[in-house]
Amino acid sequence: MENRLPPPAADTEGGRGDDDLLPIRRLEISDYTKGFVELLAQLSRCPPLSDADFRARFTDLAALGDDHVICVMEDPLSGRIIATASVFIERKFLRGCGKVGHIEDVVVDAAVRGRHLGQRVVQYLVEHARAAGCYKVILDCEPDRRSFYEKCGFSEKSIQMALYF
Amino acid sequence: MENRLPPPAADTEGGRGDDDLLPIRRLEISDYTKGFVELLAQLSRCPPLSDADFRARFTDLAALGDDHVICVMEDPLSGRIIATASVFIERKFLRGCGKVGHIEDVVVDAAVRGRHLGQRVVQYLVEHARAAGCYKVILDCEPDRRSFYEKCGFSEKSIQMALYF
């Protein structure tokens, strides 16, 4: 896990450390070789994907344009993806043909947690949803993640129900 | 509210009443004049939509094909939409490029609640998600709806967080 990120730096003039300088960008095809799938495996069951399967799913999602965005943060030293999250925009009839952003699959590499990278990727997607005209952004999480999402500006709203096939 | 549905009938040989015979179908453009938008207003803020706005949103969603389905139940006597629910299919990388069904906007006309029409529209969408290859279906609801969704086969899984713009 060495050299995954620059060592924590003293705050800069703007009061921001080096982590704030790491750019966030949209997922690219080339992220297949940068540990994106392996990072998702830290969140849920995520078996390795073939290059063809990755490309096929990437193409499916790219066809949705701004209605489905996966953002990633890449460690410039290791060239590995160290944080990711996704949002898809649901179009409704209610709320005057309103839109809702659904955030999914937020994960930060275990080796670099505690540096607020999760907040940054969530904020990136919240801003995307806002710019897309959503009236709200929602997500489901375990109760022990409540305080993290409260720091991101979210409030507990209801319960999630699930049916597994 | 008279004549919205046939009067409750004695169970048929199969043990099913008339409500079970009401067909469920996908939303159609002509449902604009059948009270679909007014029905959604029983669930959330849903101001009237112009015919053009309704058609535009309908077209947006139709372009998603089987990845976004709104189902409706029409009262054959009144010609009004009395129940609806929607599901969209999210495509992921995790779970071997898995898919998740997200159920939204479940509403039954207040005049015909208690006849299990809600269970039927939810079940219709669950079966759609299953046929589409989803590994799970999820939804968010108020805690007082937990028992209803348990009857539909769901279990409480986590919490929903929301950020309103």
Side-chain angles (χ1 to χ4, degrees), chain B residues 20-65:
Chain B
D20 286 316
L21 303 178
L22 286 181
I24 300 172
R25 59 168 172 79
R26 295 198 187 189
L27 183 72
E28 299 169 358
I29 284 272
S30 59
D31 293 327
Y32 175 68
T33 62
K34 295 181 178 177
F36 172 70
V37 176
E38 294 83 342
L39 179 61
L40 287 177
Q42 293 187 30
L43 178 68
S44 181
R45 191 166 68 75
C46 188
L49 297 177
S50 71
D51 181 67
D53 286 344
F54 182 85
R55 283 174 180 269
R57 177 55 32 109
F58 184 93
T59 303
D60 286 343
L61 296 173
L64 298 173

Coordinates of all heavy atoms in Angstrom, one line a residue, chain B residues 20-65:
Chain B
D20 N -58.8 -9.3 -9.0 CA -57.7 -10.0 -9.5 C -57.8 -10.1 -11.1 O -56.8 -10.5 -11.8 CB -57.6 -11.5 -9.0 CG -57.1 -11.5 -7.6 OD1 -56.1 -10.8 -7.3 OD2 -57.7 -12.2 -6.8
L21 N -58.9 -9.8 -11.6 CA -59.1 -9.9 -13.0 C -58.8 -8.6 -13.7 O -58.7 -8.5 -14.9 CB -60.6 -10.3 -13.3 CG -61.1 -11.6 -12.6 CD1 -62.5 -11.8 -12.9 CD2 -60.2 -12.7 -13.1
L22 N -58.7 -7.5 -12.9 CA -58.3 -6.2 -13.6 C -56.9 -6.3 -14.1 O -56.0 -6.6 -13.4 CB -58.3 -5.1 -12.5 CG -59.7 -4.6 -12.1 CD1 -59.5 -3.5 -11.1 CD2 -60.5 -4.2 -13.3
P23 N -56.7 -6.1 -15.4 CA -55.4 -6.3 -16.0 C -54.5 -5.1 -15.6 O -54.9 -4.0 -15.3 CB -55.7 -6.3 -17.5 CG -57.0 -5.5 -17.7 CD -57.8 -5.8 -16.4
I24 N -53.2 -5.5 -15.6 CA -52.1 -4.5 -15.4 C -51.4 -4.4 -16.7 O -51.1 -5.4 -17.3 CB -51.2 -4.9 -14.3 CG1 -51.9 -5.1 -13.0 CG2 -50.1 -3.9 -14.1 CD1 -51.1 -5.8 -11.9
R25 N -51.2 -3.1 -17.1 CA -50.5 -2.9 -18.4 C -49.5 -1.8 -18.2 O -49.5 -1.1 -17.2 CB -51.5 -2.6 -19.5 CG -52.4 -1.4 -19.2 CD -53.2 -0.9 -20.4 NE -54.1 0.1 -20.0 CZ -53.8 1.4 -19.9 NH1 -52.5 1.8 -20.0 NH2 -54.7 2.3 -19.6
R26 N -48.7 -1.6 -19.2 CA -47.8 -0.4 -19.2 C -48.5 0.9 -19.5 O -49.5 0.9 -20.2 CB -46.6 -0.7 -20.2 CG -45.8 -1.9 -19.9 CD -44.5 -1.8 -20.6 NE -43.7 -3.0 -20.5 CZ -42.4 -3.2 -20.9 NH1 -41.8 -2.2 -21.5 NH2 -41.8 -4.3 -20.7
L27 N -47.9 1.9 -19.0 CA -48.5 3.3 -19.2 C -48.5 3.6 -20.7 O -47.6 3.2 -21.5 CB -47.6 4.3 -18.5 CG -48.0 5.8 -18.6 CD1 -49.3 6.0 -17.7 CD2 -46.9 6.7 -18.2
E28 N -49.6 4.2 -21.1 CA -49.7 4.6 -22.5 C -50.0 6.1 -22.6 O -50.4 6.7 -21.6 CB -51.0 3.9 -23.2 CG -50.8 2.4 -23.2 CD -52.1 1.7 -23.5 OE1 -53.1 2.3 -23.8 OE2 -52.1 0.4 -23.6
I29 N -49.7 6.7 -23.8 CA -49.9 8.1 -24.0 C -51.3 8.5 -23.6 O -51.5 9.6 -23.0 CB -49.6 8.5 -25.5 CG1 -48.1 8.5 -25.7 CG2 -50.2 9.8 -25.8 CD1 -47.4 9.8 -25.5
S30 N -52.3 7.7 -24.0 CA -53.7 8.1 -23.7 C -54.0 8.1 -22.2 O -55.1 8.6 -21.9 CB -54.6 7.1 -24.5 OG -54.3 5.8 -24.0
D31 N -53.1 7.6 -21.4 CA -53.4 7.7 -19.9 C -53.4 9.1 -19.4 O -53.8 9.3 -18.3 CB -52.5 6.7 -19.2 CG -52.8 5.3 -19.5 OD1 -53.9 4.9 -19.7 OD2 -51.8 4.5 -19.5
Y32 N -52.9 10.0 -20.2 CA -52.9 11.4 -19.8 C -54.3 11.9 -19.5 O -54.5 12.7 -18.6 CB -52.3 12.2 -21.0 CG -52.3 13.7 -20.7 CD1 -51.6 14.3 -19.7 CD2 -53.2 14.5 -21.5 CE1 -51.6 15.7 -19.5 CE2 -53.2 15.9 -21.3 CZ -52.5 16.5 -20.3 OH -52.5 17.8 -20.1
T33 N -55.3 11.4 -20.3 CA -56.6 11.8 -20.1 C -57.4 10.9 -19.1 O -58.6 11.1 -18.9 CB -57.4 11.8 -21.4 OG1 -57.4 10.5 -21.9 CG2 -56.7 12.7 -22.4
K34 N -56.7 10.0 -18.5 CA -57.4 9.0 -17.6 C -57.0 9.2 -16.2 O -57.2 8.2 -15.4 CB -57.1 7.5 -18.1 CG -57.6 7.2 -19.5 CD -57.3 5.8 -19.9 CE -57.9 5.5 -21.3 NZ -57.6 4.1 -21.7
G35 N -56.5 10.3 -15.9 CA -56.2 10.6 -14.4 C -54.9 10.1 -13.9 O -54.7 10.0 -12.7
F36 N -54.0 9.8 -14.8 CA -52.7 9.2 -14.3 C -52.0 10.3 -13.4 O -51.5 10.0 -12.3 CB -51.8 8.8 -15.5 CG -50.4 8.4 -15.1 CD1 -50.2 7.3 -14.3 CD2 -49.4 9.2 -15.4 CE1 -48.9 6.9 -14.0 CE2 -48.0 8.9 -15.1 CZ -47.8 7.8 -14.3
V37 N -51.9 11.5 -14.0 CA -51.2 12.6 -13.2 C -51.9 12.9 -11.9 O -51.2 13.1 -10.9 CB -51.0 13.8 -14.1 CG1 -50.3 14.9 -13.3 CG2 -50.2 13.5 -15.4
E38 N -53.2 12.9 -12.0 CA -54.0 13.2 -10.8 C -53.8 12.1 -9.7 O -53.7 12.4 -8.5 CB -55.5 13.3 -11.1 CG -55.8 14.5 -12.0 CD -55.6 14.3 -13.5 OE1 -54.9 13.3 -13.9 OE2 -56.2 15.0 -14.3
L39 N -53.6 10.9 -10.2 CA -53.3 9.8 -9.2 C -52.0 10.0 -8.5 O -51.8 9.8 -7.3 CB -53.4 8.4 -10.0 CG -53.1 7.2 -9.1 CD1 -54.1 7.0 -8.0 CD2 -53.1 5.9 -10.0
L40 N -51.0 10.4 -9.3 CA -49.6 10.6 -8.7 C -49.7 11.7 -7.6 O -48.9 11.7 -6.7 CB -48.6 11.0 -9.8 CG -48.1 9.9 -10.7 CD1 -47.2 10.5 -11.8 CD2 -47.4 8.8 -10.0
A41 N -50.6 12.6 -7.8 CA -50.8 13.7 -6.8 C -51.2 13.2 -5.5 O -51.1 13.9 -4.5 CB -51.7 14.8 -7.4
Q42 N -51.7 12.0 -5.4 CA -52.1 11.4 -4.1 C -50.8 11.0 -3.4 O -50.9 10.6 -2.2 CB -53.0 10.2 -4.3 CG -54.4 10.6 -4.8 CD -55.4 9.5 -4.8 OE1 -55.3 8.6 -4.0 NE2 -56.3 9.5 -5.8
L43 N -49.7 10.9 -4.1 CA -48.5 10.4 -3.5 C -47.5 11.5 -3.1 O -46.9 11.5 -2.0 CB -47.7 9.5 -4.5 CG -46.4 8.9 -4.1 CD1 -46.6 7.9 -2.9 CD2 -45.7 8.2 -5.2
S44 N -47.4 12.5 -4.0 CA -46.4 13.6 -3.8 C -46.9 14.8 -4.5 O -47.9 14.7 -5.3 CB -45.1 13.1 -4.3 OG -44.1 14.1 -4.1
R45 N -46.2 15.9 -4.4 CA -46.6 17.1 -5.1 C -46.5 16.8 -6.6 O -45.5 16.4 -7.1 CB -45.6 18.2 -4.8 CG -46.1 19.6 -5.2 CD -45.3 20.7 -4.6 NE -43.9 20.7 -5.0 CZ -43.5 21.2 -6.2 NH1 -44.4 21.7 -7.1 NH2 -42.2 21.2 -6.5
C46 N -47.6 17.0 -7.3 CA -47.6 16.7 -8.7 C -48.6 17.6 -9.4 O -49.8 17.3 -9.6 CB -48.1 15.2 -8.9 SG -48.0 14.6 -10.6
P47 N -48.1 18.8 -9.7 CA -49.0 19.8 -10.4 C -49.4 19.3 -11.8 O -48.7 18.4 -12.4 CB -48.0 21.0 -10.5 CG -46.7 20.5 -10.5 CD -46.7 19.3 -9.6
P48 N -50.5 19.8 -12.3 CA -51.0 19.4 -13.6 C -49.9 19.6 -14.7 O -49.1 20.5 -14.6 CB -52.2 20.3 -13.9 CG -52.6 20.7 -12.5 CD -51.4 20.8 -11.7
L49 N -49.9 18.7 -15.6 CA -48.9 18.7 -16.7 C -49.6 19.0 -18.0 O -50.7 18.5 -18.2 CB -48.1 17.4 -16.9 CG -47.3 16.9 -15.7 CD1 -46.7 15.6 -16.1 CD2 -46.2 17.9 -15.5
S50 N -49.0 19.8 -18.9 CA -49.6 20.0 -20.2 C -49.5 18.7 -21.0 O -48.6 17.9 -20.7 CB -48.9 21.2 -20.9 OG -47.6 20.7 -21.3
D51 N -50.3 18.6 -22.0 CA -50.2 17.4 -22.9 C -48.8 17.3 -23.5 O -48.3 16.2 -23.5 CB -51.3 17.6 -24.0 CG -51.3 16.4 -24.9 OD1 -51.7 15.3 -24.5 OD2 -50.9 16.6 -26.1
A52 N -48.3 18.5 -23.8 CA -46.9 18.4 -24.5 C -45.9 18.0 -23.5 O -45.0 17.2 -23.8 CB -46.6 19.8 -25.0
D53 N -46.0 18.5 -22.2 CA -45.0 18.0 -21.2 C -45.1 16.5 -20.9 O -44.1 15.8 -20.7 CB -45.2 18.9 -19.9 CG -44.7 20.3 -20.1 OD1 -43.9 20.5 -21.0 OD2 -45.0 21.1 -19.2
F54 N -46.4 16.1 -20.8 CA -46.6 14.7 -20.6 C -46.0 13.8 -21.7 O -45.3 12.8 -21.5 CB -48.1 14.4 -20.4 CG -48.4 13.0 -20.1 CD1 -48.4 12.5 -18.8 CD2 -48.7 12.1 -21.1 CE1 -48.7 11.2 -18.5 CE2 -49.0 10.7 -20.9 CZ -49.0 10.3 -19.6
R55 N -46.3 14.2 -22.9 CA -45.7 13.5 -24.1 C -44.2 13.5 -24.1 O -43.6 12.5 -24.4 CB -46.3 14.1 -25.4 CG -47.7 13.7 -25.7 CD -48.2 14.4 -26.9 NE -49.6 14.0 -27.1 CZ -50.0 13.0 -27.9 NH1 -49.1 12.2 -28.5 NH2 -51.2 12.6 -28.0
A56 N -43.6 14.6 -23.8 CA -42.2 14.7 -23.8 C -41.5 13.8 -22.8 O -40.6 13.0 -23.1 CB -41.7 16.1 -23.6
R57 N -42.1 13.8 -21.6 CA -41.5 12.9 -20.6 C -41.8 11.4 -20.9 O -40.9 10.5 -20.7 CB -42.1 13.3 -19.2 CG -41.7 12.4 -18.0 CD -40.3 12.2 -17.7 NE -39.4 13.3 -18.0 CZ -38.7 14.1 -17.2 NH1 -38.9 14.0 -15.9 NH2 -37.9 15.0 -17.6
F58 N -43.0 11.1 -21.4 CA -43.3 9.8 -21.9 C -42.3 9.3 -22.9 O -41.8 8.2 -22.8 CB -44.7 9.7 -22.4 CG -45.2 8.4 -22.8 CD1 -45.9 7.6 -21.9 CD2 -44.9 7.8 -24.1 CE1 -46.4 6.3 -22.2 CE2 -45.4 6.5 -24.4 CZ -46.1 5.8 -23.5
T59 N -42.0 10.2 -23.8 CA -41.0 9.8 -24.9 C -39.6 9.5 -24.3 O -38.9 8.6 -24.7 CB -41.0 10.9 -25.9 OG1 -42.3 11.1 -26.4 CG2 -40.0 10.6 -27.1
D60 N -39.2 10.4 -23.4 CA -37.9 10.2 -22.7 C -37.8 8.8 -22.1 O -36.9 8.1 -22.2 CB -37.8 11.2 -21.5 CG -37.5 12.6 -21.8 OD1 -37.1 12.8 -23.0 OD2 -37.7 13.5 -20.9
L61 N -38.9 8.4 -21.4 CA -38.9 7.2 -20.7 C -39.1 6.0 -21.6 O -38.5 4.9 -21.4 CB -40.0 7.2 -19.6 CG -39.8 8.2 -18.5 CD1 -41.0 8.3 -17.6 CD2 -38.5 7.9 -17.7
A62 N -39.9 6.2 -22.6 CA -40.1 5.1 -23.6 C -38.8 4.7 -24.3 O -38.5 3.5 -24.6 CB -41.1 5.4 -24.6
A63 N -37.9 5.7 -24.4 CA -36.6 5.4 -25.0 C -35.7 4.5 -24.2 O -34.8 3.8 -24.7 CB -35.8 6.7 -25.2
L64 N -36.0 4.3 -22.9 CA -35.3 3.4 -22.1 C -35.8 2.0 -22.2 O -35.2 1.0 -21.6 CB -35.4 3.9 -20.6 CG -34.8 5.2 -20.3 CD1 -35.1 5.7 -18.9 CD2 -33.3 5.3 -20.6
G65 N -36.9 1.8 -22.9 CA -37.4 0.4 -23.2 C -37.7 -0.3 -21.9 O -38.3 0.2 -21.0

